[in-house]
Amino acid sequence: MPTATVTPTATPSAPTDAFDAYNLTGFSAGNSGGGIVNESNAALYKKVYTATDLAAALKKGSGVKVIEIMNDLNLGWNEIPSAAQTSPFAAHNSPLTHPVLLQTGVSKVTLDGFDGLTIFSANGAKIKHAAFTIKRSSNLIIRNLEFDELWEWDEASKGDFDKNDWDYITLEEDTNVWIDHCTFNKSYDGLVDSKKGTSGVTISWSTFKGDDRSPNSWVTRQINALEANSTAYPMYAYLRSSAIGLSKEDIIAVASSQKKGHLVGATSFDSGNSNLSITLHHNYYLDIQDRLPRLRGGNAHVYNILANNSAAWAAKSRITTAMETAIAGKGYHFGVTSNGSISTEGGAVLVEKSNFVDILYPLRNNQTDPADSSYTGKIKALDTMYSLNGVSFRGDSDTSGSSLAPVPAAIIPFSWSGISALPYSYPVDDPSTLAARLTASNGSGAGKLNWTKSNWLQTIY
C-alpha cells in the first residue's frame, strides 16, 4: 500500500491566527458560495425576517446570492402565512405525537438549481419545524444557524423512525456545499444527510446534540404528553407496563440521545456513490448514537471531531438484556445504538486526531453482512483518542491490540477510493485539546462568534 494514501497532509500544528482556524478546507475547498455582496445590493442580498421573505429568496431562479437570516424563524406548515405556502415550501409528513408539532406542522423547504448562494445569520438565529432539501445545486454555504424541534416519538413504525423522513438538511446531486458553525438539535431521522452522488461537502465547527433532558426540554414535553394518555400509544404503554418496567425517567434518558448523524449515500451500490465526498472537522457530537458518518462508497475524511456519548452510554444500561428480548419480541425498537464512524460498500473513511468517548464500536466496516466483502468498506484511524468505561487508548487503528480496530468484517487495507491522496491541505489540533477547544466560547456551533457580516461571507481569512 503506497504511503501517500494514508499519510495526512496536515500542517503539523494548529494555526496561530484565530481567524485562520476557520478557513474553508476539506472537500469543499474553493467553494465561494454567493461571494462578497454588499448588503445594499437589493437584487443579490436579501434580509429575511419572515417565512414569506424566505420563500421569495429561495424561489428557483430568484437570482439571490446572499440570504441573511435576521431573527429566529418558526417555519412549520401550520404557522407560516398563506403567502409563504408556495414553492419552495410544501407541507411535510404530518406530525403524529409531539404536542407542539401537532399544532405547528412541519414544512419541507426545497432549494433547487442554485449556483452560488450563501445563507447565514450574524446572530446565530434558530430555525424550527422545517426540513431542508437541497437539490442539483453547487457552491452553497450555510453558516451560523441553529436547527431545532424536528423530533417526535415514533409509534407509527414502532420506534424504527422510518415514517416521517424529517432530516434537517438533505443534500441530493449537489457539488460543493459548506456547512459551518451551525447547531443541530435532536431530529426524527438524520441531521445532515448527503445522497445521490453529492460531492465536495465540508461540515465544520458545528455542534450536533441530543436532548438535555431538562424539565421543559423537547423530549420531556413529548414524554409528558404520552404519559398523560398512555393508552393511546401502545408502544409507550408497553414500555411503561410491568412487562418491561421502565419508568418515565428511564424512557426520557434513553430517548434523549440522537439516533442518526450523517448518512452519506442512501442506497446500496447506487451508481453515484463512488462520487460521494465529505469532510467532517472540528465538530462536536454530543450523544449521537450512530453515523459519524455512515458512508456507502466514495470518500470521507474525519479529523478533529469530538464524539462524547457518555450520557447515551449510561442510558443504555437502563435496558436489561431481558428487556431487550421482550421489546424486540413485540416488534418494537427502543434502545441505544453505539457506533462511531462507519465505512461500507468500498467506501474509504480516514479518521484523524479525533476523540471518541463511550462509544462501543468507534470504527465499523460493514453494516449488512460481514461475510460478504462487497458490503465492507475501508476505514482507518490515525492518532485518535478512545475511551470506554474509563479505559483509555490513543493511537492508530492498525496498531497491534488497538481498541480502534474496525469491526465486524475482515479489514481491507486502507486506500482512498478513486483518488491517490487528499486534494487539500489542512491544519490540525492535538486531539487532547478538542474537548476544551470545541466547547469554548469561540468553539463549535451557532452564535459563538461575534463577527461582522462581511466575515461570514468570506471563506479564507
Side-chain angles (χ1 to χ4, degrees), residues 387-410:
S387 61
L388 180 68
N389 296 329
V391 179
S392 299
F393 170 85
R394 177 172 177 173
D396 301 344
S397 57
D398 59 3
T399 302
S400 179
S402 173
S403 53
L404 288 168
V407 295

Side-chain angles (χ1 to χ4, degrees), residues 133-205:
T133 298
I134 302 173
K135 296 182 176 181
R136 295 176 289 270
S137 296
S138 58
N139 299 309
L140 263 71
I141 294 175
I142 300 171
R143 306 186 78 183
N144 203 35
L145 289 167
E146 182 170 359
F147 299 85
D148 202 3
E149 296 187 2
L150 201 62
W151 174 85
E152 69 173 6
W153 180 264
D154 176 37
E155 289 276 334
S157 61
K158 297 184 176 182
D160 204 27
F161 291 91
D162 198 31
K163 169 73 174 176
N164 290 349
D165 195 32
W166 300 336
D167 305 320
Y168 284 119
I169 297 178
T170 302
L171 307 174
E172 298 182 354
E173 300 178 83
D174 301 310
T175 57
N176 285 341
V177 178
W178 184 27
I179 298 171
D180 176 68
H181 278 94
C182 289
T183 295
F184 296 85
N185 293 283
K186 183 175 172 63
S187 73
Y188 177 94
D189 196 0
L191 295 170
V192 178
D193 286 357
S194 188
K195 306 176 181 180
K196 297 185 179 180
T198 291
S199 62
V201 177
T202 295
I203 305 176
S204 59
W205 293 98

Side-chain angles (χ1 to χ4, degrees), residues 180-386:
D180 176 68
H181 278 94
C182 289
T183 295
F184 296 85
N185 293 283
K186 183 175 172 63
S187 73
Y188 177 94
D189 196 0
L191 295 170
V192 178
D193 286 357
S194 188
K195 306 176 181 180
K196 297 185 179 180
T198 291
S199 62
V201 177
T202 295
I203 305 176
S204 59
W205 293 98
S206 292
T207 293
F208 303 84
K209 58 183 180 175
D211 187 85
D212 67 5
R213 295 186 276 177
S214 61
N216 197 40
S217 77
W218 190 250
V219 168
T220 301
R221 279 183 278 174
Q222 170 70 93
I223 303 306
N224 285 341
L226 302 181
E227 185 76 11
N229 189 23
S230 62
T231 57
Y233 306 102
M235 176 178 161
Y236 182 79
Y238 181 67
L239 296 176
R240 290 284 285 117
S241 73
S242 58
I244 300 299
L246 291 174
S247 68
K248 186 181 80 167
E249 291 71 25
D250 290 334
I251 293 175
I252 291 172
V254 172
S256 65
S257 54
Q258 166 63 21
K259 192 173 180 65
K260 303 171 186 176
H262 309 298
L263 179 62
V264 184
T267 305
S268 290
F269 305 110
D270 184 90
S271 60
N273 286 353
S274 61
N275 296 323
L276 296 165
S277 59
I278 187 169
T279 302
L280 308 174
H281 78 86
H282 289 93
N283 296 326
Y284 179 32
Y285 297 93
L286 181 61
D287 293 319
I288 310 300
Q289 298 180 22
D290 199 4
R291 301 182 179 180
L292 305 177
R294 193 265 202 237
L295 176 71
R296 286 187 170 105
N299 296 296
H301 183 205
V302 180
Y303 71 92
N304 279 165
I305 71 163
L306 170 62
N308 184 349
N309 281 14
S310 57
W313 182 244
K316 185 177 176 67
S317 66
R318 293 176 182 246
I319 300 178
T320 66
T321 302
M323 289 177 181
E324 287 181 348
T325 301
I327 292 168
K330 284 284 190 178
Y332 294 136
H333 306 268
F334 187 71
V336 175
T337 305
S338 192
N339 294 323
S341 298
I342 307 166
S343 181
T344 67
E345 300 171 27
V349 177
L350 178 63
V351 178
E352 291 187 82
K353 294 187 179 294
S354 293
N355 189 355
F356 293 96
V357 180
D358 286 337
I359 297 174
L360 184 59
Y361 303 114
L363 269 62
R364 293 185 67 97
N365 61 1
N366 193 302
Q367 290 286 85
T368 305
D369 182 359
D372 186 343
S373 61
S374 67
Y375 287 101
T376 301
K378 299 164 286 184
I379 187 166
K380 182 180 179 72
L382 296 174
D383 190 22
T384 288
M385 299 173 63
Y386 173 57

